[in-house]
Amino acid sequence: MGTPADFPIAYPAPGSRPHRLDLDPLEPFVIVLFGATGDLAKRKLLPGLAHLAESALAPDIRVVGTSLEDLTQDEFRDIAKESVEKYGMHKLDAAQWEDFATKLEYVPQSAGPDALRDACQRARQEISAQSGVPAERVQVLHYLSVPPKAAKSVITMLRDAGLVEHSRVVMEKPFGTDLATAIELNNFVHDTFTESQIFRIDHFLGKEAAQNILAFRFANGLFEPIWNRQFIDHIQIDIPESLGLDQRANFYESTGAYKDMVVTHLFQVMAFVAMEPPTALEPQAISEEKNKVFRSMRPVLPSNVVRGQYVGYRDEVGVAPDSETETFIALKVGIDNWRWAGVPFYLRTGKRLAEGQRIISIAFREAPKSMFPPGSGVGSEGPDHLTFDLADSSKVSLSFYGKRPGPGMRLEKLSMQFSTQETERARDVLEAYERLILDAMRGDHTLFTTAEGIESLWERSAPLLADPPPVKSYPQGSWGPNAIHQLIAPHAWRLPFERGWRQSKS
């Protein structure tokens, strides 16, 4: 008989080289930004690329912007400068901006695939001349910041331009609108790119707080043993938005809250909360555990869903006067596995709600019997909660009953809170798109969705998509239709909070 060391675990296999999540230097990159003049590019991508380019985090990069607009180089650089100054989390000084500006080039899509290929080749040659890296080793990252219906034409353009080899492609949501369209799109993209080249992005998973779920769950002996049906009563993932359509009526009318937010965001966050421990902290193992969660999901039944539409939606420009598109959705989901059997997951999101929040709330089971006398306060404020705030200034709170100072035995809810803004590394927080672009350059799929995962979710969504319940109207500035309270009963929605977050010291 050999020692235990003679029998290593099956994965990673002996002699294999699993992807390492380290900070080894990267080869240079050309980033081709499709939709370079769009809202997402202006608000997130151009400011994020500027920060990465001028930091020590990213390799030497060049950005080739392209869109339907016919712009000169200077006009595109003016747009980029305004975006960085207006929306950038990390401000650039004059010298840094001038350096980044020299890394920007623009090619209108009307110029065709040959012009795009020539621009990429010029950028590769420029990087090669400055860094000494052979031009053929300079990789290309294509970011498709375009509407879903334009994705196929962009993929075709990349194939025609010969920009597939040594490249990766980042695709925005939604990836399909049902199982059939997701399979069709996956097959179409796979005709040009391999799965290892494809990065289906969900910016929620790029946030520090979302990744902190993994650290919290699997690194702490206090919480890992109780993360199951024996100790957790129910879980809420609540992402209300106070904003409206923001001039996206044409997109939203054909999509709605479920396709826009639940499949692409809330279910992805749910997978981090519910997944089993991966065999290694590396992309393939983590993706497999996320996919197991999706395969274990019960079908989304219309009887477990509340759809809503805010008053005034049908008056928006571009919205049909008899539209049945939901601007709000709340649903109950079950995960049919050993860990979560019988534990309901409640998900809610919508437009024009009372507040903009991004909350995960874990409700623990209450003590089976109380020794405290009536009137002590025990049970009056519901179960203990562990709450994650997915905002950029990520926070975690643990609520529990404690004795109120003074005579007698009166209890009240107390909480312990943590914020990344209170640490000495607060300045190291990356904006979600910055992190995800950097991960895509590294070839790290940990925070991205796989073809199998997205198809599983559309398959589970089939009953709802086939027979959606009618939309119920709700006032703007509310928390949605009244029917949401029957959906979650006998529990209660965690939002709105009765107690606000403690404000971090500046």
Side-chain angles (χ1 to χ4, degrees), residues 4-45:
D6 296 327
F7 303 100
I9 60 174
Y11 184 82
S16 71
R17 293 180 56 81
H19 186 94
R20 297 171 299 163
L21 302 183
D22 55 21
L23 298 179
D24 286 349
L26 282 167
E27 298 283 13
F29 263 88
V30 175
I31 298 175
V32 182
L33 179 56
F34 288 87
T37 59
D39 187 65
L40 177 60
K42 291 177 181 177
R43 290 177 177 271
K44 296 293 184 181
L45 303 180

Side-chain angles (χ1 to χ4, degrees), residues 409-489:
M409 182 58 76
R410 288 283 300 169
L411 281 73
E412 62 183 357
K413 278 284 181 174
L414 308 174
S415 67
M416 293 187 294
Q417 297 186 14
F418 159 80
S419 170
T420 55
Q421 300 303 308
E422 297 174 335
T423 72
E424 60 183 18
R425 305 299 296 272
R427 293 183 179 180
D428 293 346
V429 173
L430 286 174
E431 203 278 330
Y433 283 98
E434 295 171 358
R435 177 186 307 279
L436 292 169
I437 290 171
L438 192 60
D439 282 354
M441 286 193 282
R442 293 189 175 281
D444 184 345
H445 283 82
T446 301
L447 304 177
F448 297 86
T449 308
T450 66
E452 178 190 343
I454 199 69
E455 290 177 13
S456 289
L457 290 174
W458 285 124
E459 184 179 17
R460 303 305 182 274
S461 303
L464 173 63
L465 299 180
D467 185 26
V471 294
K472 300 176 183 293
S473 65
Y474 63 94
Q476 296 187 35
S478 69
W479 288 98
N482 288 332
I484 62 173
H485 302 298
Q486 286 76 48
L487 176 71
I488 202 171

Side-chain angles (χ1 to χ4, degrees), residues 45-114:
L45 303 180
L46 287 169
L49 289 171
H51 174 235
L52 290 176
E54 299 305 310
S55 72
L57 297 171
D60 192 7
I61 67 173
R62 297 294 184 275
V63 179
V64 177
T66 181
S67 76
L68 298 177
E69 297 183 55
D70 288 323
L71 302 174
T72 65
Q73 303 283 21
D74 289 340
E75 287 173 334
F76 177 60
R77 288 171 180 171
D78 288 343
I79 290 174
K81 184 176 183 180
E82 182 182 357
S83 299
V84 172
E85 291 175 348
K86 186 175 182 179
Y87 300 113
M89 288 179 58
H90 309 274
K91 304 303 180 183
L92 304 185
D93 59 33
Q96 288 174 320
W97 164 252
E98 289 301 325
D99 181 67
F100 180 61
T102 64
K103 299 176 180 179
L104 295 174
E105 186 171 352
Y106 185 80
V107 179
Q109 280 186 245
S110 59
D114 291 344

Side-chain angles (χ1 to χ4, degrees), residues 10 13 154 180 210 264 277 290 311 387 392 417:
V154 172
T264 50
K290 287 172 58 184
V311 175
T387 305
D392 291 326
Q417 297 186 14

